[in-house]
Amino acid sequence: METLKNYIDGNWIESKKAATIGVENPATGQIMYQVPAGCKEDVALAAEKAKQAFPAWRNTPATQRIQYLFKMKQLLEAHADEISTICTHESGKTFAESKAEIVRAIENIEVACGIPVLMQSEFSEDIAVGIDEYMIRQPLGLGACISPFNFPVMIPFWFMPYALACGNTYIVKPSEKVPGTMAKIFELFEALNLPKGVLNMVHGGRETVDAILEHPYIDAISFVGSTAVAKHVYQHGTAYGKRVQAQGGAKNPIVIMPDADMDTAVKIVADSAFGCAGQRCLAASIVITVGSAKDAFVSKIVEAAKLKTTGNGLKGADMGPVITAESKIRVESLIQKGIDESCSLLLDGRNAQIEGHEKGHFIKPTILSDIKPGSETYSTEIFGPVLSITHAESLDEAIGIVNQGRYGNAACIFTQSGSSARKFRHDAIAGNIGVNIGIAAPMAFFPFSGWKESFFGDLHGQSRHAVEFYTQTKVVIERWHDEWSRKF
Ligand code: NAD
C-alpha cells in the first residue's frame, strides 16, 4: 500500500520514521493509503531548507511573489473536481461541500494577491525639522500551519498564501486523517516552479506538531483544531518564543426570535447543523428559541432534519459520515449523555445503517430538546450531526444563555427586528456574528474572528490580520544633513 511522502525543498522525500497511520475512507471503512506518523528529523529537514530559501524569497519583489499565487488559483480552479473527489474520499463530506472549500481557498489566494497594497505602511514627514519617520513591514522568516481534518483544502489557505506573499517561506502540516488532499494539491503546485524550499509539506501527528512548536528556525505558527490541542500549541509554541495563533473548538448558539421568518430559519439551521455531518466549527449546535418561537420552530426543524439524506458523499447524499469509528462512538455517547441529563430525544440518528456502506461511520440527524444551560450537553462540543434545543422567555435571557458557553466562535440570531439584531450583535460574546445567517463564515477579506476558548492569540487568520501576523514592523527615523535642514 502506498505511503505518502513529505514535500521538502522541491522533492518528494520519504519520512525518516518508519511508522505509518492508515488513512481511511469514512464512508466505507476502507484504508486507502498510509501517511507517515512523522518525526523531528522530517521537520528539521524542512525547516533547514525553508530557512535557506528565505533570503532570496524575501528579496523577490512582492509583485513577483504574487505571480505564483495567480498560478495557484488557476491550478485549484482547473483541478477542482479531482481535488474534491480525494477530499470526499478522505473526509466523508459531500462532493459539493468539498468544492465549496476550494472556492474559499481561492478567495484567500485572491486577497493575498493584493499584498503589494496590503503590506504598504505609514510615513510621517517632518516629525522634527528635516526628520522623517516611517514604518515598514518585513516578513518574519519561516512560518508553519497545522490543520484539522474537517477542511482538508481550505484551512491551510487561511494562512499560507499570505505568509508566502509577505515573503516568508512555509511548511504545511495536514491532518493525518486527511493528508491525501493536500498531497494532491502539492503535486499540482509543482507546476508553479516556486524556488525550492519556499513551500514545503511535512506529514504526521503529535510528534510532528511538537517538533514544529520547538524547532528554533520556525518563527510563526498558525493552528486550527480542537481547544485542548489549540491550548497546548499556544502555550508550548509561545514558550519556545514563537508567534502563535491557535483556533480551537466551538459550540455555536442560534437564537430564534418569535418574529423570525420561520421557514427560512428552519431551512438555514438544518443546513448549518447537519451539513458536513455537523463537523464544521461554525455549525449550528444549540438553538435557543425565544417565547412563542418554540412551538413554531421545533416541529418544523424535526421535519426538515428527517428529509436530509445520509450516505456516500460522492453519490448525491445530503450528508456523509463522521470521520472515524471513534468519533461515531463519542458522538453517540454524547447523545446518550443528553438523554441521561433528561433532554427529550426528538430525532434519533444513532445506529444508522446505510446500504452498501455497512463499515461506514454514519450517524443520521439527531435532535435533543430541553437541554439545560450549564449541563454537559450544553457545554461539550459534539462535532457530529446533533442539534440541541433550549428555550428562553426573552432576548435578554437568550443572550445570557449564549454568553454562558465556554466557546466564542460564532453566534447567530434569526429575527425581523433591527433592534433585536443590534442588541444581539452588541451583547453576544462571540467573534463571528450572524444575523439571519446560519454559518457566519467570514469572507477572506475579513478575519476569522473566534473568541474565548475558540481562539488563543491576538491576530486571526485571513485578511489584514494574516498579513500582520506574518510580518513584523520596523520603524525608521531618518535625517539627511543637507543645506536646507542645516538652516534651521
Ligand atoms: P485535533 O485538535 O484533533 O487536530 C488538529 C491538528 O492537531 C492535527 O493536525 C493533529 O495532527 C494535531 N494534533 C492532534 N492531537 C495532538 C496532540 N495531542 N498534540 C499535538 N498535536 C496534535 O482536531 P481535529 O479533530 O482534526 O479537528 C476538529 C476540531 O477542530 C474541532 O474541535 C473543530 O471545532 C476545530 N476546528 C476549529 C476551527 C476554527 O476556525 N476555530 C475550524 C475548523 C475546525
Side-chain angles (χ1 to χ4, degrees):
M1 188 177 280
E2 186 199 359
T3 299
L4 298 180
K5 293 186 173 136
N6 294 325
Y7 187 78
I8 299 174
D9 202 31
N11 299 303
W12 293 97
I13 294 178
E14 278 178 19
S15 170
K16 296 274 184 296
K17 186 162 180 168
T20 59
I21 302 162
V23 180
E24 192 186 12
N25 179 335
T28 62
Q30 184 206 349
I31 302 290
M32 301 179 289
Y33 31 80
Q34 300 284 322
V35 63
C39 59
K40 273 186 177 171
E41 291 74 14
D42 294 348
V43 172
L45 183 63
E48 178 69 40
K49 296 299 178 187
K51 186 181 167 70
Q52 285 167 11
F54 174 63
W57 183 243
R58 75 157 281 202
N59 289 331
T60 303
T63 49
Q64 288 178 30
R65 291 197 298 256
I66 61 170
Q67 299 312 313
Y68 296 97
L69 299 190
F70 286 118
K71 285 191 214 153
M72 255 186 200
K73 167 183 153 79
Q74 286 164 358
L75 284 169
L76 291 185
E77 280 170 349
H79 296 273
D81 283 1
E82 242 173 297
I83 299 167
S84 300
T85 304
I86 300 173
C87 180
T88 294
H89 275 143
E90 286 188 328
S91 68
K93 64 175 62 178
T94 68
F95 187 72
E97 288 163 348
S98 294
K99 279 193 99 164
E101 269 200 60
I102 299 177
V103 172
R104 273 293 155 113
I106 289 171
E107 282 168 9
N108 276 282
I109 297 173
E110 288 168 347
V111 173
C113 283
I115 222 73
V117 173
L118 292 169
M119 270 180 92
Q120 276 176 346
S121 219
E122 294 145 27
F123 192 108
S124 297
E125 194 178 32
D126 289 328
I127 53 150
V129 175
I131 301 179
D132 304 328
E133 181 166 355
Y134 54 95
M135 187 181 89
I136 47 183
R137 286 195 173 277
Q138 296 192 331
L140 296 170
L142 170 51
C145 77
I146 300 161
S147 46
F149 79 80
N150 66 328
F151 285 99
V153 183
M154 174 183 75
I155 285 179
F157 288 87
W158 288 352
F159 317 108
M160 177 261 279
Y162 301 95
L164 292 183
C166 290
N168 302 278
T169 53
Y170 214 71
I171 300 173
V172 174
K173 204 295 285 173
S175 162
E176 66 278 23
K177 294 184 182 124
V178 292
T181 307
M182 199 44 67
K184 177 71 204 175
I185 290 172
F186 267 68
E187 260 176 46
L188 296 168
F189 283 1
E190 283 195 280
L192 297 173
N193 289 319
L194 268 166
K196 285 181 188 304
V198 167
L199 180 59
N200 309 277
M201 176 178 54
V202 177
H203 289 295
R206 185 181 186 154
E207 203 177 322
T208 307
V209 171
D210 284 342
I212 290 172
L213 300 178
E214 293 170 15
H215 198 284
Y217 291 169
I218 297 175
D219 300 290
I221 296 167
S222 301
F223 171 88
V224 182
S226 59
T227 288
V229 184
K231 263 188 200 164
H232 163 70
V233 166
Y234 187 75
Q235 287 167 354
H236 206 64
T238 52
Y240 276 80
K242 294 170 197 326
R243 199 177 269 203
V244 181
Q245 50 182 194
Q247 300 186 205
K251 179 104 183 180
N252 306 304
I254 310 266
V255 172
I256 310 281
M257 296 297 288
D259 66 355
D261 172 343
M262 218 47 83
D263 289 336
T264 309
V266 164
K267 184 188 173 318
I268 293 176
V269 171
D271 289 346
S272 172
F274 306 120
C276 290
Q279 299 172 117
R280 273 196 288 231
C281 66
L282 292 174
S285 312
I286 305 172
V287 160
I288 305 161
T289 51
V290 175
S292 61
K294 177 178 177 180
D295 294 340
F297 180 82
V298 172
S299 57
K300 286 189 177 188
I301 192 74
V302 174
E303 289 317 305
K306 281 183 188 163
L307 291 176
K308 296 274 173 206
T309 56
T310 307
N312 189 323
L314 283 179
K315 297 187 178 162
D318 294 328
M319 207 180 89
V322 295
I323 190 72
T324 56
E326 297 76 55
S327 266
K328 180 173 153 110
I329 293 168
R330 192 183 53 78
V331 172
E332 292 191 340
S333 71
L334 284 164
I335 296 170
Q336 185 57 47
K337 180 80 201 167
I339 298 165
D340 297 344
E341 287 183 336
S342 311
C343 302
S344 320
L345 183 62
L346 301 184
L347 188 63
D348 187 358
R350 294 173 295 174
N351 307 313
Q353 292 300 319
I354 307 296
E355 209 186 320
H357 292 73
E358 286 70 21
K359 293 197 173 144
H361 315 308
F362 294 96
I363 305 171
K364 290 188 176 175
T366 299
I367 300 181
L368 287 164
S369 189
D370 304 313
I371 67 156
K372 311 271 175 308
S375 64
E376 203 172 321
T377 310
Y378 170 81
S379 52
T380 306
E381 179 181 35
I382 297 179
F383 222 55
V386 181
L387 181 67
S388 303
I389 303 177
T390 190
H391 312 288
E393 288 310 316
S394 65
L395 177 57
D396 281 335
E397 190 192 341
I399 292 174
I401 295 172
V402 167
N403 291 347
Q404 268 183 49
R406 55 189 280 241
Y407 298 105
N409 218 31
C412 302
I413 185 167
F414 284 79
T415 181
Q416 295 191 55
S417 153
S419 82
S420 298
R422 187 185 184 282
K423 182 173 177 50
F424 185 80
R425 158 172 62 80
H426 188 267
D427 292 348
I429 303 176
N432 299 296
I433 298 291
V435 176
N436 298 317
I437 299 282
I439 306 170
M443 294 292 285
F445 33 88
F446 285 94
F448 194 108
S449 185
W451 285 8
K452 289 166 87 179
E453 295 225 345
S454 296
F455 183 71
F456 304 91
D458 309 289
L459 295 161
H460 295 84
Q462 299 197 144
S463 78
R464 283 180 195 280
H465 275 222
V467 177
E468 286 183 39
F469 184 78
Y470 279 106
T471 53
Q472 53 198 340
T473 52
K474 185 181 271 182
V475 175
V476 183
I477 305 179
E478 211 169 80
R479 167 165 49 205
W480 294 95
H481 290 280
D482 57 18
E483 280 309 307
W484 178 79
S485 63
R486 245 179 254 134
K487 275 198 303 211
F488 295 91

